[in-house]
């Protein structure tokens, strides 16, 4: 038996290690930086760097890197060894405070959306002392933010840190209004549940589409899919169990709080949920989790697919972003309380979320937009592209009574009022049985379920934090000026419910009728990434993020451009992969099968000269022939559509729309023809492992 408590965090320069290894005054100075965002004294940094280096070398590290999260959506690292030459042709191991705090990198190939021209390609990485350094593959990794020469954020971490600070500040103002003086810090907490597929490596290696794009671009439906729901929570196969154990250990060493593992809805689909932690650390840990999921799979001759939709017709993978606010005194601000006073405070925070989600539903949609996620949203396996909030019947009834100042409990005939002692006990175990809602209250936290499995969690949390901060700011300003706090609070809550209740929906989000109702309520519905991205630069959204210093207008415009380009590039790669697979693998297989059939017909006729016809072979040959011709036609159409995309004159937005309207339909037509052939052609001639092979490959 391994000693898990000893293993946990063994590769992390965590609080315990710091207390052991740093002089007391250095440790305290560092904590002041971590907790209050104070600037770190260079002399303190030098001491921390020395201790970090000694610790890392003892653990076998030879290199260090500033570990950051550029706009690629994954992490980046550039390793430097600790060696430094000394006289006599020898080296010593060194790591300075300067190297810890700041890195300069010629990072001209990272997407910047025009923020950096190549002639000023320098980017800076700056130590984020709020997230512990760790050792991965013999390298000391220092979590850092990544900015341009002009100070603009070029990464996903910087805006998240900014948004957490903004939300913390506004939440504190609200707490003070309720007479709370002990809290000095409010943190955003996040627990991301991560879904993934595992398939056998030998299958993966034979699929160029999986290798190039992470998803299957071809593949006929298997005879068995997920119809029986026999995979969800099913017994975990031993090869998968060994993988999960290995993954847990690797992540535990890195301090990731892996907690729950189970089989998911689709065959070969699984999930890992960690225990929640501070948003910024949760975002770092989710990146590490995705990286380790892939690395550990390789050791087991498996491949971990994190794409949102690896297999058509089979549920895709998402990520559930559980989100709440916690004080440094350990109170969850979204936990209904025991007293009317506590519940009045809870209601105000709840109202802030309702207002924020309603006012910035477009930005929430944008924050989870990607070509991959477009396949999931609205496909009756994931929430629709329309953002709405699930509160549950009981909480909704409470809000309705508050809005109308009517009795909540018919028996007691108590009028619902805020501030006066007529609030009832709130339901504490609003277990959420609605899995179709994009944004659900689950008793003491909200669960944002629209995220795609491969996306970093930073962006949706930036939007959520900033939008909720804006609502709290408005509430605090209004209530701070009020003569009669209770009266003003009641009026404010009623007004918020009245104005924003359209965003609350407790029904079935997969239902077609909901889309019509949502439209009648005036809610946004952007089916694709190309549709929703323009919201990024709407004046109201730029105004929000600029006001709180989370994004500048320049940063937003650059991000808008990066996401548009990314969408077009993903579709470009997918379409070209389809062209090549069709030309080089699929058409040759169809022709080979056609020849085999033709030869059989001739051979049979020769062998049996009296034979009038060879029905089976002839019918099959005609079908294969017709479909092959159709496939070749579709291939030409797709090629032509791609030529147009290469012509000059597009803007990023018009090109994204062209891919959506001009290329995607051609890809779909090509796939239909190819999948039709797969059903006909002999298995030994078909060049690609089938859905059945892949989905049931791991035993
Ligand atoms: P589910 O039914 O969705 O699986 P769980 O109760 O298992 O719900 O919790 C899912 C995730 O929510 C876990 O990662 C958990 O750590 C996280 N979570 C729980 N409480 C909070 C909170 N206060 N803030 C953020 N995340 C939380
Ligand atoms: Mg969940």
């Amino acid at each position: 038996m391994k000693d898990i408590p000893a293993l946990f965090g063994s590769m992390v320069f965590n609080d315990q290690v710091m207390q052991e290894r740093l002089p007391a005054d250095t440790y305290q100075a560092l904590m002041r930086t971590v907790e209050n965002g104070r600037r770190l004294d260079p002399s303190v940094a030098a001491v921390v760097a020395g201790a970090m280096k000694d610790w890392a070398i003892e653990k076998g590290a030879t290199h260090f890197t500033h570990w950051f999260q550029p706009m690629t959506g994954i992490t980046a690292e550039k390793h430097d060894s600790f060696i430094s030459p000394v006289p006599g042709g020898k080296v010593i191991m060194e790591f300075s405070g300067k190297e810890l705090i700041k890195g300069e990198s010629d990072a001209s190939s990272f997407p910047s959306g025009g923020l950096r021209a190549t002639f000023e390609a320098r980017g800076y990485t700056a130590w984020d002392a709020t997230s512990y350094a760790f050792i991965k593959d013999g390298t000391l990794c220092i979590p850092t933010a990544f900015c341009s020469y002009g100070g603009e954020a070029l990464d996903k971490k910087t805006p998240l840190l900014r948004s957490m600070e903004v939300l913390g500040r506004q939440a504190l103002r609200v707490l003070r209004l309720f007479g709370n003086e002990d809290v000095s810090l409010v943190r955003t907490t996040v627990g991301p549940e991560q879904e993934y597929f595992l398939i056998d490596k030998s299958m993966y290696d034979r699929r160029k589409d999986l290798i190039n794009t992470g998803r299957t671009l071809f593949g006929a439906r298997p005879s068995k899919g997920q119809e029986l729901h026999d995979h969800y929570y099913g017994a975990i196969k031993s090869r998968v169990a060994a993988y999960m154990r290995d993954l847990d250990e690797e992540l535990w060493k890195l301090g990731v709080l892996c907690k729950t593992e189970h089989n998911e809805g689709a065959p070969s689909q699984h999930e890992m949920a960690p225990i929640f932690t501070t948003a910024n650390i949760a975002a770092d840990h989710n990146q590490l989790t995705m990286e380790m999921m892939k690395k550990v799979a390789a050791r087991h001759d498996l491949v971990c697919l994190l794409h949102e939709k690896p297999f058509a017709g089979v549920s895709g993978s998402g990520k559930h972003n559980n989100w709440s606010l916690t004080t440094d005194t350990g109170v969850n601000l979204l936990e209904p309380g025991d007293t009317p006073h506590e519940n009045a405070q809870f209601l105000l925070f709840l109202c802030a979320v309702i207002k924020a989600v309603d006012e910035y539903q477009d930005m929430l949609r944008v924050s989870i937009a990607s070509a991959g996620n477009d396949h999931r949203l609205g496909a009756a396996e994931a929430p629709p592209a329309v953002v709405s909030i699930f509160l549950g019947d009981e909480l909704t009834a409470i809000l309705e009574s508050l809005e109308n100042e009517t009795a909540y409990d018919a028996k007691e005939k108590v009028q619902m009022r805020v501030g006066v002692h007529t609030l009832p006990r709130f339901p504490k175990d609003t277990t959420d049985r609605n899995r179709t809602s994009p944004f659900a209250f689950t008793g003491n936290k909200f669960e944002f379920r629209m995220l795609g499995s491969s996306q970093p969690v930073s962006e949706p949390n930036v939007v959520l934090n900033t939008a909720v901060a804006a609502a709290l700011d408005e509430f605090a300003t209004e209530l701070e000026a009020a003569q009669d706090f209770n009266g003003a609070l009641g009026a404010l809550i009623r007004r918020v419910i009245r104005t924003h209740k359209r965003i609350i929906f407790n029904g079935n989000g997969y239902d077609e009728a909901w889309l019509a109702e949502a439209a009648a309520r005036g809610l946004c519905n952007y089916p694709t990434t190309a549709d929703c991205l323009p919201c990024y630069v709407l004046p109201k959204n730029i105004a929000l993020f600029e006001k709180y210093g989370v994004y500048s207008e320049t940063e937003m415009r650059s991000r808008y451009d990066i996401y548009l380009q990314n969408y077009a590039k993903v579709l470009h790669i997918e379409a070209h992969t389809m062209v090549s697979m069709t030309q080089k693998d699929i058409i040759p297989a169809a022709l080979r099968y056609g020849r085999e059939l033709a030869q059989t017909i001739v051979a049979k006729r020769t062998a049996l000269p009296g034979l009038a016809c060879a029905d089976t072979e002839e019918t099959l040959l005609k079908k294969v022939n017709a479909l092959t011709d159709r496939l070749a036609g579709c291939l030409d159409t797709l090629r032509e559509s791609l030529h147009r995309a290469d012509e000059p004159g597009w803007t990023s937005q018009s090109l994204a729309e062209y891919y959506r309207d001009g290329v995607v339909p051609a890809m779909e037509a090509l796939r239909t023809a190819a999948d039709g052939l797969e059903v006909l052609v002999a298995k030994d001639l078909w060049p690609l492992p089938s859905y059945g092979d892949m989905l049931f490959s791991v035993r």
Side-chain angles (χ1 to χ4, degrees):
M1 262 302 276
K2 286 210 169 103
D3 180 355
I4 304 301
L7 182 85
F8 187 85
S10 56
M11 288 298 177
V12 184
F13 194 72
N14 57 23
D15 195 63
Q16 191 196 341
V17 180
M18 286 192 253
Q19 287 199 41
E20 281 166 16
R21 290 177 173 253
L22 295 176
D25 54 339
T26 309
Y27 174 77
Q28 277 148 16
L30 183 60
M31 284 307 114
R32 279 196 293 277
T33 300
V34 172
E35 273 156 24
N36 313 328
R38 295 265 180 83
R39 237 193 136 69
L40 197 69
D41 193 303
S43 63
V44 174
V47 179
V48 178
M52 241 186 216
K53 177 205 68 182
D54 292 343
W55 169 81
I57 290 172
E58 282 168 35
K59 297 269 179 194
T62 51
H63 290 68
F64 71 92
T65 181
H66 277 198
W67 183 76
F68 58 104
Q69 301 173 25
M71 294 303 292
T72 52
I74 50 175
T75 58
E77 45 194 73
K78 184 187 83 179
H79 298 186
D80 276 301
S81 71
F82 289 122
I83 65 162
S84 171
V86 287
K90 305 287 283 178
V91 294
I92 53 164
M93 301 296 258
E94 267 190 345
F95 183 48
S96 69
K98 217 173 123 245
E99 285 170 312
L100 168 64
I101 293 182
K102 192 168 157 191
E104 212 175 295
S105 59
D106 171 20
S108 49
S109 294
F110 291 115
S112 80
L115 280 184
R116 272 169 320 142
T118 4
F119 62 85
E120 48 171 38
R122 260 179 313 171
Y124 288 105
T125 48
W127 182 30
D128 167 21
T130 62
S131 183
Y132 300 134
F134 56 91
I135 298 171
K136 182 166 67 76
D137 296 332
T139 297
L140 169 67
C141 299
I142 296 143
T144 51
F146 179 46
C147 300
S148 76
Y149 192 71
E152 287 107 350
L154 293 172
D155 69 346
K156 307 243 171 191
K157 183 190 269 279
T158 309
L160 179 62
L161 290 171
R162 291 174 184 162
S163 74
M164 288 166 67
E165 214 179 297
V166 167
L167 178 55
R169 206 178 315 129
Q170 299 304 334
L172 214 52
R173 277 176 75 197
V174 169
L175 289 180
R176 296 283 185 263
L177 280 167
F178 283 89
N180 188 322
E181 297 293 333
D182 351 318
V183 174
S184 53
L185 198 74
V186 177
R187 285 197 181 92
T188 323
T189 52
V190 167
E193 302 164 52
Q194 177 73 49
E195 292 183 342
Y196 62 99
F197 278 87
L198 281 182
I199 63 165
D200 199 280
K201 185 168 180 304
S202 62
M203 307 279 166
Y204 175 88
D205 287 341
R206 289 168 54 207
R207 302 256 348 186
K208 259 185 243 144
D209 45 5
L210 283 179
I211 295 172
N212 285 0
T213 72
R215 76 179 181 104
T216 54
L217 301 167
F218 299 100
R221 303 290 142 94
S223 358
K224 180 182 189 300
Q226 62 195 80
E227 302 83 357
L228 299 176
H229 301 287
D230 50 354
H231 192 256
Y232 190 61
Y233 280 22
I236 298 174
K237 296 190 179 107
S238 41
R239 212 170 144 200
V240 176
Y243 166 82
M244 286 177 172
R245 226 175 354 256
D246 205 358
L247 177 67
D248 274 346
E249 283 186 17
E250 287 303 329
L251 289 173
W252 284 338
K253 282 188 215 164
L254 294 170
V256 179
L257 293 154
C258 304
K259 178 76 176 169
T260 312
E261 266 133 338
H262 62 82
N263 286 349
E264 257 301 327
S268 286
Q269 192 185 29
H270 314 281
E271 179 182 298
M272 193 285 277
I275 298 171
F276 69 94
T277 179
T278 311
N280 159 43
I281 295 169
D284 285 1
H285 282 181
N286 183 248
Q287 289 283 9
L288 280 175
T289 299
M290 291 194 285
E291 184 182 328
M292 278 304 158
M293 281 182 162
K294 293 191 164 174
K295 268 197 184 146
V296 172
R299 289 187 208 155
H300 294 256
D301 277 326
L302 296 167
V303 174
C304 171
L305 304 176
L306 289 172
H307 193 282
E308 282 72 25
K309 192 74 176 175
F311 305 101
V314 172
S315 285
S317 300
K319 180 144 43 194
H320 291 176
N321 188 80
N322 294 275
W323 175 96
S324 189
L325 294 169
T326 308
T327 67
D328 57 351
T329 53
V331 177
N332 177 354
L333 295 175
L334 291 177
E335 175 93 49
D338 290 321
T339 64
H341 176 84
E342 284 168 353
N343 276 338
Q345 182 184 299
F346 162 74
L347 275 174
L348 194 62
F349 279 101
L350 187 71
C351 282
V353 177
I354 293 171
K355 176 174 155 72
V357 173
D358 186 30
E359 286 181 348
Y360 298 100
Q361 43 179 295
D362 52 349
M363 275 307 288
L364 284 168
R365 170 69 182 91
V366 167
S367 77
I368 49 88
S370 73
N373 215 15
D374 283 355
H375 297 289
R376 278 178 72 238
L377 301 177
E381 55 166 53
V386 179
V387 177
S388 66
I389 299 184
F390 170 90
L391 287 182
D393 293 337
E394 236 174 325
L395 204 49
T396 308
I398 289 179
L399 294 190
E400 268 166 18
S401 317
L402 275 170
E403 181 194 350
N404 305 317
E405 293 186 87
T406 52
Y408 166 65
D409 185 336
K411 278 182 293 229
E412 291 187 16
K413 302 271 181 244
V414 186
Q415 277 217 325
M416 286 288 288
R417 291 249 175 79
V418 176
V420 288
H421 293 256
T422 50
L423 284 173
R425 255 173 183 272
F426 280 14
K428 283 221 171 187
D429 55 345
T430 359
T431 37
D432 164 33
R433 280 175 222 95
N434 184 332
R435 293 274 153 189
T436 65
S437 173
F439 199 92
F441 183 65
T442 51
N444 60 2
K445 62 187 186 294
F446 277 98
E447 183 169 338
F448 186 27
R449 302 199 179 115
M450 290 172 88
L451 286 74
S453 49
S454 69
Q455 297 172 321
V457 299
S458 335
E459 186 109 14
N461 286 297
V462 167
V463 174
L464 206 47
N465 292 348
T466 314
V468 173
L472 291 174
D473 182 4
E474 212 180 294
F475 294 174
T477 305
E478 184 170 328
L479 295 174
E480 279 161 3
Q483 302 295 326
D484 162 21
F485 177 75
N486 284 339
L489 179 63
L492 190 154
I493 289 179
R494 274 194 300 284
R495 197 181 68 228
V496 171
I497 299 170
R498 202 161 295 149
T499 319
H500 300 290
K501 65 182 175 192
R502 63 170 187 166
I503 197 78
I504 299 168
F505 175 63
N506 295 324
N508 179 3
Y510 296 175
D511 200 342
E512 279 287 320
W514 163 234
L515 293 186
E517 190 187 328
R521 291 187 189 190
L523 301 181
C524 306
N525 184 4
Y526 299 108
T528 73
T529 299
D531 301 319
C532 73
L533 279 176
C535 299
Y536 219 115
V537 288
L538 289 181
K540 75 164 179 94
N541 293 332
I542 292 178
L544 170 76
F545 291 99
E546 279 222 314
K547 176 170 180 190
Y548 294 98
V550 172
Y551 291 126
S552 65
E553 175 165 357
T554 325
E555 287 170 344
M556 290 184 83
R557 291 198 181 278
S558 78
R559 266 153 221 257
Y560 168 50
D561 201 58
I562 290 171
Y563 289 130
L564 279 173
Q565 286 193 29
N566 184 267
Y567 175 77
K569 282 177 189 166
V570 166
L571 291 172
H572 174 92
I573 294 169
E574 288 185 351
H576 279 278
T577 303
M578 285 187 102
V579 166
S580 139
M581 287 172 76
T582 306
Q583 186 74 59
K584 295 191 176 292
D585 301 323
I586 298 176
I587 290 182
L591 294 181
R592 226 169 273 150
Y593 190 49
R595 192 176 62 216
E596 208 171 82
L597 290 170
Q599 283 169 348
T600 311
I601 295 168
V602 173
K604 272 196 181 175
R605 288 207 174 122
T606 317
L608 300 168
L611 192 72
C613 62
D615 269 350
T616 311
E617 299 86 334
E618 280 186 18
T619 316
L620 202 49
L621 179 57
K622 278 181 198 149
K623 279 192 193 162
V624 169
N625 209 38
L627 260 181
T628 312
D629 285 347
R630 204 171 100 206
L631 182 69
C634 290
L635 180 61
D636 285 341
T637 311
L638 181 57
R639 275 210 180 99
E640 277 158 30
S641 76
L642 286 169
H643 286 317
R644 266 208 68 198
D646 288 337
E647 283 164 14
W650 300 103
T651 62
S652 298
Q653 180 68 41
S654 68
L655 184 62
E657 285 168 14
Y658 174 69
Y659 269 99
R660 178 194 64 195
D661 302 331
V663 179
V664 170
M667 288 166 67
E668 281 165 1
L670 182 71
R671 176 177 187 148
T672 306
D675 291 357
L677 270 171
E678 182 186 345
V679 176
L680 295 180
V681 172
K683 184 153 177 73
D684 62 335
L685 290 180
W686 195 253
L688 309 169
S690 71
Y691 268 33
D693 295 338
M694 287 183 284
L695 289 168
F696 299 97
S697 63
V698 183
R699 266 171 259 284

